[in-house]
Amino acid sequence: MSENKTVRIIVTRQENMDSAPYEEEFVIPYRPNMNVISALMEIQRNPVNAKGEKTTPITWDMNCLEEVCGACSMVINGKPRQSCAALVDKLEQPIRLAPMSTFPVIRDLQVDRNRMFDSLKRIKAWIPIDGTYELGPGPRMPERKRQWAYELSKCMTCGVCLEACPNVNSKSDFMGPAFISLVRLYNSHPTGAMNKDERLNALMGDGGLQDCGNSQNCVQACPKGIPLTTSIAAMNRASTVQSFRNFFGSDHHVD
Amino acid sequence: MADNREFFYRRLHSLLGVIPVGLFLTQHLIVNHFATQGEEAFNTAAGFMGSLPFVYLLEAFIIFLPLLFHGIYGLYIAFTAKNNLGRFGYFRNVMFFLQRVTGVITLVFIAWHVWETRIQALLGTEVNYQMMEEILSNPLMVVFYIVGVLSAVFHFANGLWSFFVTWGITVSPRSQRIMTYVTMLVFVALSIVGLRAIFAFV
């Protein structure tokens, strides 16, 4: 019985960055426990569309296949999410696959996520530990704080929160929710806190956290359940204080 | 401030929406409410507001300049959003959309309202109970005023909610939820005050 079972998939495809998108339908044989990636691999093995015409295999990004790298994000049945964690059995058919519209499409479902890596650089999403001599161990982080920070550290720059945000689009420079939460993560690390003001000032630059319009889609969409809106409000508070310090002058740079 | 001008403008926009524009809106609706006590009570109250010392300065700095900045910058904010209610029909996203819609409606309404009352006063017409009674003798204008007042009140109440997030006062989800209830109470309360005043003229 399961031999005749099929899966219908409609993919929004695009030849290259400049060409127009179009839809192509595929019907592939069903196998138990399929995810969207194994379905795409099935099409790759036999690139024939629903009309029986031979076509090009679909291009998409993937890496870890266990929802920790963020590379395989795409819009599945209208919702941005990781295709590796999207199980065919749990999806309504036909399954509609489209690239995330916030990012430039390279080809088919593959998008250029470079803007996010630029944002990571801009907010200094790292902890500087190098010196010209041995600096010794840094301050210890309380265990309970570490457990809390671990939740924020689950961010994999997958781009889903940017796709869900109405203020991240071609008309605005807004960097997106993820990076606001990452500033909170790095600023709460005992060593990272030594450059707190630098990250906050980067966050308050054009396209920074002030562009948030509180639609709170990000916290609903985040596949990792990161409390993004709490982070945004917390960074709003921190940047209120930082802006007063910048304007009136302060000798407290990092505390 | 050189490289974070946008931060400054956004925060100024948030601040001005509540202080003074939101406070002025509340005061204005409360003064209007005198209309429920009759023509004389309304004219006395409106006359008192209109004869305050330094009234031109008060108008300029408490009403018109903040309102112009908030309205024009707000239009820019509203039109840089790409609403996605169809894909994300969550409560806050609905409020995000309504905040932008009511903002634009309120701006149109206020422009018309200022032309009809304040500018006419400048041209020599007296702003009093009778003037409002005449304006609201047209059923279309009654609808326009109801929509305008409700939009303004919603925009203020929901804007108050975002004000508390923007300045980092309500951070936790629970505090934000409580603020949702509080600001929606503000919406209901001010709507009653505003609508009672409109119906007093009808």
Side-chain angles (χ1 to χ4, degrees):
Chain A
M1 197 184 100
S2 65
E3 290 137 48
N4 327 343
K5 243 177 119 179
T6 54
V7 183
R8 272 181 70 208
I9 302 175
I10 299 171
V11 186
T12 304
R13 307 196 57 176
Q14 191 170 324
E15 281 290 320
N16 55 51
M17 296 188 87
D18 307 312
S19 63
Y22 63 96
E23 283 188 350
E24 192 160 34
E25 191 176 335
F26 296 89
V27 178
I28 58 160
Y30 172 85
R31 274 180 288 120
N33 305 322
M34 270 183 133
N35 61 5
V36 167
I37 294 219
S38 65
L40 287 169
M41 285 171 158
E42 185 61 42
I43 298 173
Q44 206 171 33
R45 254 191 297 277
N46 179 26
V48 172
N49 67 22
K51 292 182 210 150
E53 300 159 350
K54 205 163 161 54
T55 179
T56 49
I58 294 161
T59 306
W60 77 96
D61 255 337
M62 62 172 171
N63 189 14
C64 77
L65 303 181
E66 53 181 356
E67 209 188 60
V68 290
C69 78
C72 69
S73 310
M74 58 184 73
V75 179
I76 301 169
N77 285 349
K79 291 262 152 51
R81 53 187 295 196
Q82 278 69 56
S83 47
C84 66
L87 302 177
V88 166
D89 287 336
K90 291 188 178 166
L91 292 170
E92 199 182 306
Q93 285 194 36
I95 300 170
R96 288 177 182 276
L97 305 179
M100 288 196 291
S101 56
T102 302
F103 301 92
V105 175
I106 297 173
R107 184 183 163 92
D108 296 338
L109 301 171
Q110 185 186 26
V111 293
D112 179 1
R113 299 189 300 146
N114 255 322
R115 61 169 292 172
M116 294 201 291
F117 306 117
D118 292 337
S119 299
L120 287 175
K121 282 180 255 177
R122 184 173 141 188
I123 59 153
K124 300 173 200 290
W126 59 81
I127 290 169
I129 52 166
D130 295 332
T132 50
Y133 57 93
E134 168 66 46
L135 293 171
R140 276 184 71 85
M141 191 173 194
E143 172 57 17
R144 281 166 68 196
K145 193 174 178 184
R146 185 202 62 76
Q147 286 181 9
W148 164 83
Y150 182 69
E151 295 305 316
L152 299 185
S153 76
K154 287 180 177 174
C155 178
M156 51 192 182
T157 23
C158 67
V160 164
C161 60
L162 277 76
E163 175 74 12
C165 178
N167 275 0
V168 177
N169 59 53
S170 50
K171 290 179 278 182
S172 101
D173 294 328
F174 185 33
M175 54 167 63
F179 309 98
I180 302 171
S181 189
L182 284 175
V183 169
R184 190 183 187 207
L185 169 69
Y186 290 104
N187 278 4
S188 51
H189 187 280
T191 306
M194 296 173 186
N195 311 75
K196 220 167 149 171
D197 53 336
E198 292 172 22
R199 289 194 201 87
L200 279 176
N201 279 320
L203 196 61
M204 289 152 63
D206 289 353
L209 94 161
Q210 66 277 358
D211 284 349
C212 168
N214 297 304
S215 79
Q216 303 206 334
N217 285 347
C218 53
V219 74
Q220 306 268 5
C222 177
K224 291 291 160 187
I226 297 170
L228 290 164
T229 50
T230 311
S231 286
I232 291 170
M235 290 301 95
N236 271 330
R237 180 182 288 183
S239 61
T240 301
V241 174
Q242 186 64 42
S243 66
F244 288 170
R245 284 178 176 170
N246 290 349
F247 186 77
F248 294 108
S250 165
D251 48 8
H252 296 270
H253 298 298
V254 289
D255 55 37
Chain B
M1 219 174 73
D3 54 345
N4 52 17
R5 203 165 290 166
E6 189 188 52
F7 180 85
F8 174 75
Y9 288 152
R10 276 283 197 147
R11 286 291 169 102
L12 184 66
H13 178 258
S14 170
L15 180 68
L16 292 181
V18 176
I19 306 165
V21 174
L23 290 178
F24 167 70
L25 171 72
T26 312
Q27 176 263 332
H28 189 7
L29 291 174
I30 288 171
V31 169
N32 292 351
H33 196 261
F34 275 108
T36 58
Q37 295 167 27
E39 183 166 351
E40 203 178 320
F42 178 82
N43 283 342
T44 314
F48 172 76
M49 294 311 296
S51 59
L52 284 175
F54 318 114
V55 69
Y56 288 111
L57 282 180
L58 292 174
E59 273 183 336
F61 289 100
I62 296 180
I63 310 172
F64 290 119
L65 291 177
L67 198 57
L68 273 176
F69 177 80
H70 189 84
I72 294 168
Y73 196 65
L75 266 186
Y76 164 74
I77 293 175
F79 287 104
T80 44
K82 200 173 134 195
N83 281 286
N84 52 13
L85 272 187
R87 281 162 67 193
F88 304 93
Y90 306 117
F91 172 70
R92 268 291 145 209
N93 199 24
V94 175
M95 298 301 255
F96 172 92
F97 175 67
L98 287 178
Q99 185 69 5
R100 278 143 188 80
V101 172
T102 54
V104 175
I105 296 175
T106 305
L107 189 62
V108 172
F109 172 69
I110 289 176
W112 177 256
H113 179 62
V114 167
W115 162 255
E116 216 174 20
T117 56
R118 188 63 190 88
I119 307 281
Q120 294 308 315
L122 213 60
L123 300 175
T125 321
E126 205 190 330
V127 178
N128 54 21
Y129 187 92
Q130 216 188 336
M131 178 194 223
M132 284 318 294
E133 209 174 24
E134 263 165 44
I135 292 174
L136 293 173
S137 62
N138 179 349
L140 274 179
M141 284 318 274
V142 176
V143 174
F144 185 53
Y145 267 75
I146 290 173
V147 171
V149 167
L150 287 181
S151 291
V153 170
F154 178 88
H155 191 82
F156 169 54
N158 192 47
L160 201 57
W161 181 87
S162 354
F163 173 88
F164 274 80
V165 178
T166 302
W167 291 88
I169 300 164
T170 48
V171 171
S172 71
R174 185 175 154 83
S175 66
Q176 295 183 359
R177 211 174 314 124
I178 291 172
M179 229 20 223
T180 302
Y181 298 135
V182 172
T183 52
M184 283 305 103
L185 275 177
V186 169
F187 169 63
V188 173
L190 282 183
S191 295
I192 293 171
V193 175
L195 292 181
R196 273 176 62 101
I198 294 179
F199 288 119
F201 291 107
V202 179

